[in-house]
Amino acid sequence: MRAAILASGNGSNFEAIITAVKRREIEMDIAFVFSDKPDAFVLERAKNHGIEAIHFSPKNFSSKGIYEAELLHLLEEYQVEWIILAGYMRIIGPCLLEAYPQRIINIHPSLLPKYPGLHGIKEAFEAKAEQTGVTIHYIDAGVDTGPIIVQEALDILQTDTLESLEEKIHQLEHQLYPKVLAEIANKQKGAVK
Ligand code: GAR
């Protein structure tokens, strides 16, 4: 399974994935890490792991379509088969969706369809929800919609603060994302044989 990781920020999910790849727990070859933010820490993490780190900003393109066409060009050049979103905070447009149908995977820090968007953890916390969790799903044209692959719930305790909840969600993400990607990579290998 040859994949590119798209991320906009810290990259702790990328770190969990690359760690599992290096331990041979996921049969995945990471072609590159791409960020739409030049100062995203994920780019440092990629370089530290010897993975190519590429960035350009949509602001430098006249339209989203042209930005994505440039990204697609890169994906094709590196013969990428799967796109893994790990905190990539942009809606995927038709250009990439058409080129990678059912081949773009996202992780989101809530039990979708609850709390989509940029602030999934905070919104669940502020809503005083009893439970929240993590969703891994295929991407479609909506914001954090698309067929769900797996969800895992966790309780929000009376004693939780926003910070403690964030910490618990991230821990869950770091377990769940590598596990699900390993399963997809295995299925993929079976399908290719
Ligand atoms: C993760 O919690 C991920 O679920 C979330 O961004 C964070 C990235 O953290 N994604 C979304 O909210 C997508 N709508 P990381 O950069 O440390 O991996």
Side-chain angles (χ1 to χ4, degrees):
M1 177 174 182
R2 187 161 165 82
I5 311 269
L6 272 50
S8 303
N10 176 19
S12 68
N13 278 285
F14 160 70
E15 192 76 45
I17 295 167
I18 187 71
T19 302
V21 168
K22 287 192 166 173
R23 288 188 190 140
R24 297 180 186 274
E25 290 163 6
I26 314 176
E27 278 201 51
M28 185 194 283
D29 172 20
I30 300 179
F32 60 83
V33 169
F34 171 80
S35 184
D36 56 324
K37 297 264 168 63
D39 54 354
F41 187 57
V42 70
L43 294 167
E44 290 305 309
R45 293 186 191 261
K47 285 180 217 155
N48 290 340
H49 283 287
I51 304 274
E52 186 141 8
I54 302 172
H55 66 85
F56 49 79
S57 168
K59 285 184 212 145
N60 300 332
F61 295 82
S62 54
S63 73
K64 181 173 173 147
I66 295 174
Y67 160 72
E68 282 204 348
E70 182 67 24
L71 195 46
L72 181 58
H73 181 72
L74 201 63
L75 292 160
E76 286 173 347
E77 187 186 323
Y78 282 75
Q79 300 181 322
V80 168
E81 301 162 331
W82 288 80
I83 301 175
I84 313 296
L85 307 184
Y88 180 70
M89 297 306 203
R90 284 184 188 278
I91 297 168
I92 300 289
C95 173
L96 292 181
L97 277 175
E98 279 163 27
Y100 287 87
Q102 294 271 60
R103 293 253 175 156
I104 309 178
I105 302 170
N106 185 40
I107 187 162
H108 183 78
S110 77
L111 296 175
L112 292 171
K114 285 187 176 164
Y115 316 117
L118 299 178
H119 307 290
I121 307 175
K122 192 165 178 252
E123 285 177 15
F125 183 75
E126 287 178 352
K128 302 197 187 316
E130 287 184 2
Q131 271 199 331
T132 187
V134 171
T135 303
I136 296 172
H137 65 103
Y138 292 106
I139 284 287
D140 67 7
V143 180
D144 297 320
T145 55
I148 289 174
I149 303 168
V150 76
Q151 289 189 304
E152 207 160 306
L154 60 78
D155 291 336
I156 304 181
L157 308 177
Q158 296 277 355
T159 50
D160 270 323
T161 59
L162 177 59
E163 291 69 32
S164 71
L165 183 61
E166 280 170 349
E167 179 62 33
K168 285 199 277 190
I169 290 277
H170 291 313
Q171 274 180 17
L172 180 55
E173 288 187 321
H174 300 161
Q175 285 168 22
L176 202 58
Y177 215 3
K179 197 174 119 197
V180 168
L181 292 174
E183 285 166 8
I184 291 171
N186 278 341
K187 267 192 215 151
Q188 190 60 21
K189 204 173 123 196
V192 169
K193 266 183 197 165

